[in-house]
Amino acid sequence: MSEEQFTNISLAVCLTGLVVFIGFIIWDLGKKSGAGKFGTAVLFLVLGLGVGGFIFKNVLVEFFILK
């Protein structure tokens, strides 16, 4: 396995783990603050958009670099 392959695999695995962990943090924040169902949904929407934007940016960069 080359260094490039290892880097690509570990980046995908670690970023996936980070996104899942951020989801857990948002859920825990909603639970501990007593936000209820609607408040937790708003937390996921607002804070999740930041994560979604980061992922979307990386996808766009990959498409523009490959073409």
Side-chain angles (χ1 to χ4, degrees), residues 7 13 16 18 26-33 36 46 52-53 65:
T7 302
V13 169
T16 303
L18 181 63
I26 295 171
W27 174 78
D28 191 48
L29 179 65
K31 181 180 166 188
K32 286 185 179 177
S33 68
V46 173
I65 288 176

Side-chain angles (χ1 to χ4, degrees), residues 2-66:
S2 70
E3 181 183 355
E4 182 181 0
Q5 290 172 330
F6 176 75
T7 302
N8 288 334
I9 292 170
S10 62
L11 183 66
V13 169
C14 290
L15 276 180
T16 303
L18 181 63
V19 168
V20 169
F21 185 61
I22 288 173
F24 169 74
I25 290 171
I26 295 171
W27 174 78
D28 191 48
L29 179 65
K31 181 180 166 188
K32 286 185 179 177
S33 68
K37 290 182 183 180
F38 180 72
T40 303
V42 170
L43 281 171
F44 269 104
L45 177 69
V46 173
L47 297 175
L49 280 177
V51 174
F54 175 75
I55 293 170
F56 186 67
K57 178 195 65 100
N58 285 336
V59 169
L60 283 180
V61 167
E62 287 296 321
F63 280 128
F64 285 127
I65 288 176
L66 293 177

